[in-house]
Amino acid sequence: MTDITTEKARIGAPSAQPFINGFTEEGESLSPINSAESKAPLAGASAKSHSHGGGVGIPDSSRAGRLTSYNLADFKPLTGMEEDWRFTPLKRLRGLHTDALTGTAPEVLVTAPLGVLVETVDRNDKRIGSAAIPEDRVSANAWENFTEATVITVPAEAQVTDEISVLITGQGTEASAQHIVIEAKKFSKAVVVLDHQGTAVVSQNVEILVGDGADLTVISLQEWHDDSVHASSQQAKLGRDAKFKHIVVSLGGDLVRMTPSARFTATGAEVELLGLYFADAGQHLEQRLFVDHSVANCKSNVLYKGALQGKNAHTVWVGDVLIRKEAEGTDTYEANRNLVLTDGARADSVPNLEIETGLIEGAGHASATGRFDDEHLFYLMARGISEEVARRLVVRGFLNEIIQKIKVPALEERLTAAVERELAATNN
Amino acid sequence: MSTLEIKDLHVSIDTEQGTKEILKGVSLTIKTGETHAIMGPNGSGKSTLASTIAGHPRYNVTGGTITLDGEDVLAMSVDERARAGLFLAMQYPVEVPGVSMTNFLRTAKTAIDGEAPSLRHWTKDVKAAMAQLRIDADFTQRNVNEGFSGGEKKRVEILQLELFKPRFAILDETDSGLDVDALKVVSEGVNRAHAEGNMGTLLITHYTRILRYIKPDFVHVFVDGQVVEEGGPELADRLEEEGYDRYAKGAGAASIAAAAAAAQA
Ligand SMILES: Nc1ncnc2c1ncn2[C@@H]1O[C@H](COP(=O)(O)OP(=O)(O)OP(=O)(O)O)[C@@H](O)[C@H]1O
Ligand SMILES: [Mg+2]
């Protein structure tokens, strides 16, 4: 297999220090998953479209050149050889990339404190499309097929202390489309939890608007049943001095593919993209994020941590961070750490940092995949700690770094318990 | 008063070339209050003996017994052995991802004692023990052995020895890789633990240097998976002068047998 990489100004991790001595730095590696399905040329599948227009353009493997369009027809059928699909087992998408998504969308139940506006609107509502534009075929397919959308609005200057809970319950395995818009108006502050439960096969678009000076946290929790397939494009657009924290927690589902992105429209904004995933036997949990630094003096910080255990547990993390020419004074760091608990699991980790200007505060990335192996276990057990406790100790410690950053006590407790369950489920 | 008894221990490992016998009949008895030094050249099987006592899964016991006050140690799992009072300070302590020293020490202490230590005393004990071993206080926040230097790892092993209070401590080349100052600090730690009077010590070393600080009651010379000579502290002095050449494989089985016979006498 050949791997075509177009290097712009990718820089290595500032210090070649893996987070655990002796841990390997996991580099880019082509997944064999889709290789048999097509002989299409690699890369170049994207087209230039700096304006949100879509259509034809110059092939470019830079993230800036990725095709974006509201029209499904603009995206070619997937072959699995596309740069952004090469790790995804398309056969397990259950038609999200090929079929009309006419199944019943997951039910949405919003519990919001007083003052927060919750509406169900049709697809012609003017807020649809205000923050996002599909970046891949599966997202465009949802855009083409959704019938109604949930719009959650946090009014200007509202300080909402209790979290806004959005319970999203799957309605079965028919391929479906879903659309959600979250808007935090200027100087407001709120936490929104997208809580995915049950069984669903769904492609979802979540548009997130963070107004000037607003402070918004969105937590997307995937605790689907094992037969679920979930593709979710969660795109955020940030105003001046806005603060946005996005947290992905993927635990359940057969295939979960999250593609969060953050775009800056004015200076002084900050994003923090966090993620925690725990894949067990047979699960495919993928996260591809994009931070688009297109204006000056914004900050981004990315940390995703994943644990894997069981045969054919597969996780993918791809972090695209683009610092455009005009984004002087940018400060960014992205890191992904994986902990492989058993043989037969695979973690792919690909940080992509593209820098088009030298006038930045800082930019760095790190990626490390470590194993919890027999020597770790021996060391802990030689101190009297039982195997079960040893394993928990390691995983809990590893994932806690993310859980502690959530800062919603009820949710932290729930996630800690969920991680314990994951450990208990496949452990013997 | 406890006794750790090793009788005619045979140990092999599986290698790509097949099974390889490393320990070829080792017998050794250690009692509470005693310090035994095991000395031998590289590759003679010292770590194999230590790891076998601790229960490392790589080592297969093909013959012989290990008992602790008559109880079959070989039947116990690794964690059971530790809870029974065996402690191995490792030659190469591993880095454990994701687990802070604080969390690790408390979890281990709780497992060994069968109950959680009183938080107030425990924190104080840890602090004091760390100070005596000249370990920076911020080490408690770091992950187990992660990024520690060779010398720091050894000190942290002795920290555990002092906190867990085992009945028998097996120290596998705790002295190697330490400068003189660190060697003193670490030796003092072992001596403190010993002075409490409830511990027997098996001190494995390649060099005699540490024996200036930790006084052995018995010295066993280990060559090619066997004890070839035994004696009191004076044997260490002779090794200091003569080295291991006398016992070299090339010297022939006869001389080793003779040396062993002399040791028996
Ligand atoms: N995994 C392994 N594969 C092959 N041989 C091994 C393995 N582990 C140990 N050995 C061999 O077993 C023998 C004893 O090793 P051991 O580590 O017990 O010696 P040692 O006396 O502790 O040496 P040192 O002084 O270097 O620490 C050596 O010949 C070594 O090469
Ligand atoms: Mg050794």
Side-chain angles (χ1 to χ4, degrees):
Chain A
M1 278 196 109
T2 356
D3 185 8
I4 300 170
T5 41
T6 312
E7 296 278 335
K8 268 223 167 121
R10 285 180 192 165
I11 60 165
S15 65
Q17 237 189 353
F19 81 115
I20 292 164
N21 269 9
F23 268 21
T24 54
E25 291 267 335
E26 192 99 331
E28 204 159 342
S29 56
L30 268 183
S31 165
I33 290 165
N34 296 309
S35 57
E37 290 176 9
S38 166
K39 300 202 164 46
L42 288 166
S46 51
K48 274 258 189 260
S49 119
H50 285 283
S51 59
H52 277 186
V56 285
I58 314 142
D60 186 349
S61 74
S62 162
R63 182 64 201 237
R66 178 83 51 92
L67 168 72
T68 57
S69 170
Y70 293 114
N71 299 317
L72 176 61
D74 288 340
F75 294 92
K76 291 200 193 92
L78 299 184
T79 65
M81 300 303 280
E82 297 80 3
E83 171 57 31
D84 58 332
W85 289 100
R86 64 193 177 111
F87 291 115
T88 319
L90 299 182
K91 284 179 193 148
R92 284 160 61 187
L93 274 178
R94 302 236 209 157
L96 287 182
H97 60 314
T98 50
D99 302 356
L101 306 180
T102 50
T104 310
E107 183 189 62
V108 178
L109 181 70
V110 184
T111 311
L114 223 62
V116 175
L117 194 65
V118 181
E119 302 158 81
T120 303
V121 302
D122 69 25
R123 47 180 299 129
N124 299 316
D125 190 277
K126 65 179 191 319
R127 288 165 295 188
I128 306 285
S130 53
I133 176 166
E135 298 173 299
D136 64 55
R137 187 177 167 87
V138 170
S139 164
N141 199 14
W143 206 290
E144 190 119 328
N145 283 290
F146 80 93
T147 48
E148 55 182 28
T150 303
V151 177
I152 299 166
T153 308
V154 184
E157 298 186 28
Q159 307 288 301
V160 183
T161 39
D162 290 340
E163 65 264 24
I164 301 164
S165 154
V166 185
L167 184 61
I168 300 169
T169 310
Q171 303 295 303
T173 55
E174 264 182 90
S176 61
Q178 183 161 62
H179 203 103
I180 296 168
V181 178
I182 301 165
E183 179 169 17
K185 294 203 180 268
K186 64 180 178 189
F187 301 115
S188 67
K189 184 171 181 188
V191 176
V192 179
V193 181
L194 304 173
D195 191 348
H196 299 95
Q197 305 276 343
T199 291
V201 173
V202 62
S203 174
Q204 182 185 53
N205 286 301
V206 180
E207 299 190 66
I208 303 162
L209 285 149
V210 194
D212 292 350
D215 181 345
L216 178 68
T217 297
V218 173
I219 299 162
S220 184
L221 176 55
Q222 288 67 244
E223 274 201 285
W224 297 111
H225 291 165
D226 285 346
D227 52 353
S228 298
V229 177
H230 182 202
S232 185
S233 165
Q234 307 198 355
Q235 300 189 33
K237 201 162 116 182
L238 279 72
R240 188 186 177 93
D241 300 325
K243 274 202 171 75
F244 177 52
K245 180 149 102 177
H246 185 264
I247 304 166
V248 166
V249 180
S250 290
L251 301 173
D254 175 58
L255 188 157
V256 176
R257 188 178 190 272
M258 306 291 297
T259 50
S261 68
R263 289 186 171 75
F264 299 100
T265 63
T267 59
E270 277 181 45
V271 304
E272 195 175 8
L273 302 183
L274 303 170
L276 178 167
Y277 45 94
F278 195 139
D280 43 40
Q283 269 188 312
H284 177 93
L285 302 180
E286 179 166 348
Q287 19 272 313
R288 292 176 166 267
L289 56 96
F290 179 35
V291 182
D292 189 355
H293 281 278
S294 54
V295 297
N297 300 318
C298 290
K299 281 188 191 167
S300 61
N301 184 33
V302 178
L303 178 62
Y304 272 64
K305 294 184 98 172
L308 298 85
Q309 106 176 333
K311 202 162 178 285
N312 295 324
H314 188 196
T315 66
V316 177
W317 178 85
V318 179
D320 291 339
V321 175
L322 171 62
I323 306 173
R324 296 183 196 253
K325 206 170 168 43
E326 51 276 32
E328 292 176 6
T330 291
D331 191 355
T332 177
Y333 193 79
E334 59 166 343
N336 173 228
R337 319 227 183 266
N338 296 297
L339 180 63
V340 179
L341 296 165
T342 61
D343 286 338
R346 170 189 168 124
D348 288 291
S349 178
V350 187
N352 288 318
L353 181 55
E354 293 180 81
I355 306 174
E356 295 176 344
T357 172
L359 301 171
I360 54 171
E361 282 293 307
H365 68 80
S367 155
T369 296
R371 287 187 54 84
F372 179 63
D373 65 22
D374 293 347
E375 293 302 324
H376 297 129
L377 190 60
F378 176 69
Y379 189 84
L380 296 174
M381 289 179 72
R383 302 312 183 227
I385 300 168
S386 70
E387 174 166 357
E388 199 192 339
V389 173
R391 244 172 232 289
R392 274 189 198 177
L393 204 59
V394 167
V395 176
R396 218 192 268 149
F398 180 74
L399 296 179
N400 244 353
E401 191 184 351
I402 300 292
I403 295 179
Q404 279 163 2
K405 289 188 169 161
I406 294 176
K407 307 264 193 264
V408 180
L411 207 58
E412 287 181 17
E413 264 169 49
R414 189 174 139 196
L415 290 179
T416 303
V419 167
E420 303 281 317
R421 270 202 308 281
E422 288 284 323
L423 273 167
T426 16
N427 215 12
N428 33 47
Chain B
M1 173 70 101
S2 289
T3 308
L4 178 65
E5 193 171 15
I6 299 159
K7 265 198 202 150
D8 194 28
L9 190 67
H10 289 256
V11 172
S12 65
I13 56 165
D14 297 325
T15 70
E16 272 155 29
Q17 290 80 41
T19 308
K20 181 178 170 187
E21 185 172 47
I22 302 179
L23 298 189
K24 303 167 179 171
V26 176
S27 298
L28 205 62
T29 302
I30 311 166
K31 296 197 164 87
T32 302
E34 295 176 353
T35 298
H36 292 244
I38 289 195
M39 307 193 57
N42 292 129
S44 55
K46 304 183 298 293
S47 291
T48 301
L49 175 63
S51 300
T52 303
I53 297 171
H56 194 293
R58 184 197 289 152
Y59 301 94
N60 306 315
V61 176
T62 55
T65 58
I66 304 177
T67 54
L68 176 59
D69 292 334
E71 289 225 38
D72 184 4
V73 170
L74 295 174
M76 300 179 197
S77 62
V78 176
D79 51 325
E80 281 168 354
R81 296 179 196 203
R83 293 198 294 269
L86 298 178
F87 178 85
L88 169 62
M90 297 189 198
Q91 184 173 4
Y92 304 109
V94 297
E95 310 195 352
V96 186
V99 183
S100 72
M101 284 296 300
T102 309
N103 200 355
F104 163 68
L105 292 174
R106 190 167 5 94
T107 307
K109 182 69 176 170
T110 304
I112 289 166
D113 289 2
E115 59 176 0
S118 117
L119 210 56
R120 207 154 42 89
H121 288 131
W122 176 244
T123 312
K124 231 176 62 196
D125 291 351
V126 173
K127 266 197 187 145
M130 284 176 71
Q132 279 178 315
L133 288 163
R134 310 223 190 109
I135 300 168
D136 275 350
D138 65 6
F139 269 59
T140 53
Q141 305 307 314
R142 293 171 64 178
N143 288 338
V144 176
N145 294 324
E146 198 174 297
F148 295 8
S149 72
E152 286 164 349
K153 283 181 184 166
K154 297 299 175 73
R155 276 186 244 200
V156 166
E157 293 291 287
I158 301 307
L159 171 69
Q160 295 171 50
L161 171 73
E162 290 202 68
L163 292 172
F164 301 158
K165 306 192 185 305
R167 287 203 273 165
F168 288 96
I170 299 134
L171 311 177
D172 189 3
E173 297 206 25
T174 300
D175 53 332
S176 58
L178 296 181
D179 60 31
V180 178
D181 289 338
L183 184 64
K184 277 188 200 161
V185 166
V186 159
S187 301
E188 282 164 16
V190 175
N191 289 334
R192 273 194 302 273
H194 204 83
E196 291 190 14
N198 302 313
M199 188 176 89
T201 304
L202 186 62
L203 180 73
I204 294 173
T205 181
H206 183 81
Y207 306 103
T208 50
R209 196 174 59 141
I210 194 172
L211 304 182
R212 284 176 222 152
Y213 306 101
I214 301 174
K215 291 293 170 202
D217 303 298
F218 304 94
V219 175
H220 312 263
V221 182
F222 214 67
V223 177
D224 193 25
Q226 280 178 309
V227 176
V228 295
E229 190 165 6
E230 289 174 308
E234 72 289 346
L235 182 52
D237 300 334
R238 250 177 77 200
L239 283 171
E240 169 95 77
E241 284 156 30
E242 299 171 16
Y244 297 113
D245 286 353
R246 201 155 62 85
Y247 309 103
K249 270 189 193 169
S255 67
I256 291 178
Q264 299 286 317

